[in-house]
Amino acid sequence: MSRTRETPEAMDNTAVPFVTALALYPILEALVSHLRPNDLVNLTTTCQVVNNQIRMREKQVKASLLTKTLCPGTGLQARLKRHCPCRTRGWHSYCGCGGEGYNVTSKPCISCGINTCDECRIHVSYQVYVEDPGLDGHRWWAGYVLNYLFPFAIYPPKGDDGAAWHLQPDMMQSHHDQGRLHLPLYMNGIADAEPISRILDTDLGKNDITPSGRTSRPFEGVYTAVLFKSLLANRKELVCRICFDGMYGAGLSLCSCTLRKRFLDRWTCVPCHLDESKKFDQEHRATRIYSKDGPWIDKIFCRCGDQIVPVGHYEVICRWCNGHVVHVEDDNADANPENVDKQEFTNNEDDEENAGSAPVNLPPDHMAFVNNKDETLSIYVNGSRISGERIGRSIVRDHLSRKGIELPCACCDCSSVACENHHHHQHSDDESEDVNVEASVDGEDVSDHGDDGHNNLEGLDFDDDRIGFDAEMEEDEE
Ligand SMILES: [Zn+2]
Ligand SMILES: [Zn+2]
Ligand SMILES: [Zn+2]
Ligand SMILES: [Zn+2]
Ligand SMILES: [Zn+2]
Ligand SMILES: [Zn+2]
Ligand SMILES: [Zn+2]
């Protein structure tokens, strides 16, 4: 950036001081830092002289100025169009744009170059909400994964660093990309929360993202990591042996991508992230022929046009870094236990003294809902008592409803662009619709676990080759 340093003629200066002042780079820079990109454009289009002075027609000057403007807020707008807020009605929320004075840092987006605040850039997890006091005797936190629709429960990191999560709600700030990810708020399930740092730092050149929490009944750990499946699948290009050998000969590096490197170390505004993921999604789909009867793939093609024949005859290239992905569990991403650093699991935070009376003769895999002495919930299943943060929000809601406690409506009536994919009952004036009818039928506090919890996840993209939400949502735009 060449700086114009000459002092303007005194005569001109008195004639049009504002316009000549703009030619002084430090003044221009200071002015621009108080404008959003649109304001800058308006300023330059309203006055030809100003336009000449600011030199917005010159690509480089324009680009340089846009790295210094206030964040335009487009990332936050895109987020709000995609993230359904309906499950967290009445919670405290943390959200704002640095361009409107919200206290977050801004940096130029690595893709479009426009100065973008931390709230308008892509995060792997956005922690947006806190509920205090919360249901079931503990505080709840929630937020979103990337630009996916459903809110998830998020818990503070284990250990001392959770202190900032327990401040008074109005003193709190967002903890994006931190803490532990639990289940979607609407899901009837039990799971160990998954440390987000582990998700962020998984070496994707060698592993898929798998849960470290328990995944066998009654635990549904699989759903804490399920949203990453299509994202990670779309980044894998399958190439035939011949093409691979050619690439290898030309020098192929190993992929060592992580979500942290990809999404956090690259400061990317949400609109640029959406463009990018749309591109990967299109590239991915262009190599596949889908079955007419469902979301299954019939054929996969290599970049050379040859059909990829299964197992052992292809290699995987990472579309993010063009490196070689060496792991082999491509079709079996839910189970690679060797790579998982197992957590120490506990079933409760409270004292056994607090336990209500344990059910007798409970059949295997059946769950009994029992009130603890402090009125919180325990679930007895296969001889264990499970309570506290492991219990999904929706189970707690249903339990309280059965006890006759009225809760704020959680029907979805937002205008999220992905809402048609959202499995929810329609909002109605009759709030009693919120009560899970099936659950209240067996009212006896003992219910078969069944597969009820899974029904809610039908719309979720956990099949590798189902079309991701990113792509579908983009088509709704413009
Ligand atoms: Zn912003
Ligand atoms: Zn951008
Ligand atoms: Zn890679
Ligand atoms: Zn090929
Ligand atoms: Zn409702
Ligand atoms: Zn909604
Ligand atoms: Zn909806």
Side-chain angles (χ1 to χ4, degrees), residues 45 83 115 149 165 171 175 237 241 360 367 406 455:
T45 48
H83 291 162
N115 201 27
L149 176 70
W165 295 61
M171 305 288 283
H175 298 283
E237 180 188 358
R241 271 275 150 222
V360 281
M367 299 201 283
E406 273 199 38
N455 294 339

Side-chain angles (χ1 to χ4, degrees), residues 260-406:
R260 186 188 300 280
K261 288 185 203 167
R262 185 70 196 173
F263 296 111
L264 306 192
D265 297 350
R266 295 163 73 246
W267 194 280
T268 312
C269 73
V270 175
C272 285
H273 164 75
L274 293 173
D275 287 347
E276 202 176 80
S277 52
K278 184 181 181 183
K279 175 178 152 278
F280 289 123
D281 206 58
Q282 282 170 345
E283 283 178 20
H284 180 75
R285 277 189 279 165
T287 61
R288 274 136 218 266
I289 293 181
Y290 292 87
S291 152
K292 287 192 192 75
D293 319 317
W296 305 284
I297 16 161
D298 280 345
K299 287 176 180 162
I300 303 177
F301 294 95
C302 176
R303 51 169 80 176
C304 69
D306 277 4
Q307 192 182 337
I308 300 278
V309 279
V311 193
H313 292 86
Y314 64 85
E315 292 287 339
V316 179
I317 301 296
C318 171
R319 288 196 173 95
W320 293 351
C321 70
N322 293 312
H324 185 200
V325 179
V326 292
H327 61 112
V328 288
E329 291 97 338
D330 297 318
D331 300 318
N332 190 19
D334 286 338
N336 51 347
E338 311 96 270
N339 298 315
V340 168
D341 36 328
K342 286 290 172 201
Q343 304 183 16
E344 285 266 311
F345 300 122
T346 51
N347 282 337
N348 312 286
E349 284 92 27
D350 62 351
D351 208 289
E352 275 305 313
E353 304 261 286
N354 185 36
S357 49
V360 281
N361 300 330
L362 190 65
D365 286 340
H366 276 59
M367 299 201 283
F369 298 82
V370 173
N371 283 319
N372 293 315
K373 286 176 187 147
D374 67 359
E375 288 297 305
T376 59
L377 172 65
S378 275
I379 296 176
Y380 284 84
V381 57
N382 297 337
S384 302
R385 180 174 80 96
I386 301 164
S387 65
E389 63 168 42
R390 283 145 290 269
I391 301 179
R393 170 94 184 173
S394 186
I395 291 185
V396 173
R397 274 190 72 101
D398 288 352
H399 179 69
L400 294 175
S401 293
R402 285 196 297 271
K403 282 171 49 172
I405 293 169
E406 273 199 38

